[in-house]
Amino acid sequence: MTTTEALPRGLFAPDPGPAPWHRMLLAQTRIELKLTLRHGEQLLLNLVIPVLLTVALVTQPFLDLETTSGLSKVDFLVPGILALAVMSAAFTGLAIATGFERRYGVLKRLGATPLPRWGLIGGKTLAVAALEVIQIAVISGVGVALGWRPHGNPLSVVLLVACGTAAFAGLGLLMAGTLRAEATLAAANLVWFVLLFAGGIVFPLTSLPDGVAGVLEYLPSAALADGLRAVLGEGGAPPLQAVLTLLAWAVVSLGAAAKWFRWE
């Protein structure tokens, strides 16, 4: 054999080279989810606050929703809190974590490994999806304990959550990839609070003036919350306007993130 001939793969041990793509993707997903679950602030944002809001808003007479939403209080609030949980995981948590990884050079160092960039994004996306499964299970369990009885097709819920996740993740990655980490932290938390109170999550948009409500209903939070209420509270199909609104946000935000995201 001449020096120019390729040696057969596996001749030497260990056999260096990148792992198969599915193993890299699963490994990245596992580490992303593990880091999230170990982070106290992330747990507070993604699980503790939504659960406390569910219990407090359902059991205490803070809101009078019977005459403004057409649904009972628990049927109105639990789907809204589920939308809040998706927003917390796919937007706020993802934006803050990615922003600081970018600041500390983690993304730059990962770029020097065999892990492709799509593998990093895919790992983060799958980790967010796994976190959302945990959130939905916990919040739904709390809701059922408080008297909530969900209706509708589970596949409709999956469709809405998937569209909402794509929309919020695109916004989170766009923010994390273009702003400084400190600015991302402040902006992501500010947007979270604004959408909590003005994004159709805990207050029905029908209680607002028609002109204001007509604009706010096109926010991704309002589209996701209203869609989940239509399915889980009324047992209907996903509203076409809600699905199209979420898809529009997803296409625009993910496209913008792909174009302007800076890795270092």
Side-chain angles (χ1 to χ4, degrees):
M1 177 182 295
T2 66
T3 56
T4 58
E5 295 181 47
L7 295 173
R9 188 170 179 83
L11 179 62
F12 298 105
D15 184 17
W21 68 266
H22 62 278
R23 287 179 56 190
M24 290 192 292
L25 182 60
L26 289 177
Q28 188 63 28
T29 300
R30 190 182 304 112
I31 190 63
E32 294 284 352
L33 182 60
K34 186 181 296 185
L35 289 173
T36 299
L37 295 177
R38 286 180 175 178
H39 199 285
E41 293 180 3
Q42 292 280 17
L43 282 179
L44 179 67
L45 174 69
N46 291 308
L47 281 175
V48 178
I49 290 178
V51 168
L52 291 179
L53 281 175
T54 303
V55 175
L57 294 177
V58 171
T59 59
Q60 300 301 317
F62 295 132
L63 303 174
D64 180 15
L65 301 171
E66 305 291 340
T67 60
T68 56
S69 67
L71 297 171
S72 67
K73 179 184 287 189
V74 68
D75 284 338
F76 178 88
L77 285 171
V78 175
I81 298 299
L82 291 176
L84 176 68
V86 172
M87 181 177 71
S88 299
F91 171 67
T92 311
L94 181 63
I96 294 172
T98 306
F100 279 95
E101 286 176 354
R102 178 169 161 260
R103 176 190 175 184
Y104 294 139
V106 175
L107 299 184
K108 180 180 179 180
R109 288 170 173 78
L110 285 174
T113 69
L115 179 71
R117 289 185 175 182
W118 66 262
L120 175 63
I121 299 300
K124 288 183 175 295
T125 302
L126 290 177
V128 167
L131 177 60
E132 288 174 349
V133 171
I134 298 173
Q135 290 174 307
I136 291 173
V138 172
I139 295 170
S140 297
V142 173
V144 169
L146 295 173
W148 181 54
R149 297 296 180 265
H151 306 284
N153 190 338
L155 293 180
S156 299
V157 176
V158 172
L159 172 63
L160 288 166
V161 170
C163 293
T165 300
F168 284 118
L171 292 171
L173 290 172
L174 176 61
M175 183 178 292
T178 55
L179 301 178
R180 295 179 58 186
E182 295 83 0
T184 298
L185 175 64
N189 283 314
L190 176 62
V191 171
W192 188 89
F193 276 106
V194 170
L195 292 183
L196 171 64
F197 295 105
I201 290 178
V202 297
F203 294 101
L205 295 181
T206 52
S207 62
L208 301 175
D210 292 340
V212 176
V215 174
L216 295 180
E217 68 182 4
Y218 289 101
L219 291 173
S221 58
L224 181 57
D226 289 345
L228 290 176
R229 289 186 187 111
V231 174
L232 295 173
E234 302 170 6
L240 181 60
Q241 177 179 319
V243 174
L244 292 178
T245 298
L246 291 172
L247 287 176
W249 277 97
V251 170
V252 173
S253 62
L254 288 172
K259 181 176 181 180
W260 288 302
F261 190 95
R262 300 193 302 270
W263 291 82
E264 51 181 286

